[in-house]
Amino acid sequence: MPTTTRVTALDFDGVTVIRFLEPRLFDERIVREVGEQIHAAIPAEGPPVRLVLDFSGVELISSSFLGKLVLLQRRVEGAGGKFRLCEMTPTVQGVFRTSNLDRLFGVDRDLREAMEHV
């Protein structure tokens, strides 16, 4: 059975922008598939990755999704890349704030601002 497309990956001048097609990143199957699709969108070789995750339209995220983001950030930054998050709803921002992950991740208000930081 084919996996549903959960994210889109676009390249803007060497910056990979991932947009989520799921408003609720909570179900374990969806979280797993989103993680797999993000990893597949990141080149394994070449120059360090410049990555922006665009959360516009995302309403809810789970703690397991947060764990995947931590691993993704370590992978990207460990290889010398840059990683930013943007376009979060107040609810999603609250989840990051409550878990103190807003201090770990670079979070920008919008895509334009995130592109300036990567």
Side-chain angles (χ1 to χ4, degrees), residues 17-103:
V17 177
I18 303 286
R19 289 194 174 119
F20 301 97
L21 302 176
E22 292 289 333
R24 300 166 136 313
L25 301 173
F26 203 79
D27 176 87
E28 287 303 315
R29 180 179 50 84
I30 291 173
V31 168
R32 179 180 39 79
E33 290 174 0
V34 165
E36 290 169 356
Q37 291 174 20
I38 291 172
H39 283 285
I42 299 171
E45 297 179 2
V49 174
R50 296 167 53 208
L51 180 65
V52 174
L53 298 185
D54 180 344
F55 281 83
S56 54
V58 174
E59 302 164 359
L60 184 65
I61 58 176
S62 69
S63 58
S64 65
F65 181 73
L66 291 174
K68 289 200 179 296
L69 288 182
V70 170
L71 294 174
L72 178 63
Q73 181 196 35
R74 288 181 183 162
R75 174 182 167 200
V76 170
E77 292 183 353
K82 294 186 178 185
F83 182 77
R84 303 293 292 186
L85 310 176
C86 69
E87 302 283 353
M88 291 184 182
T89 64
T91 302
V92 173
Q93 284 178 333
V95 172
F96 277 84
R97 222 175 286 117
T98 300
S99 62
N100 288 320
L101 289 176
D102 58 330
R103 297 177 183 172

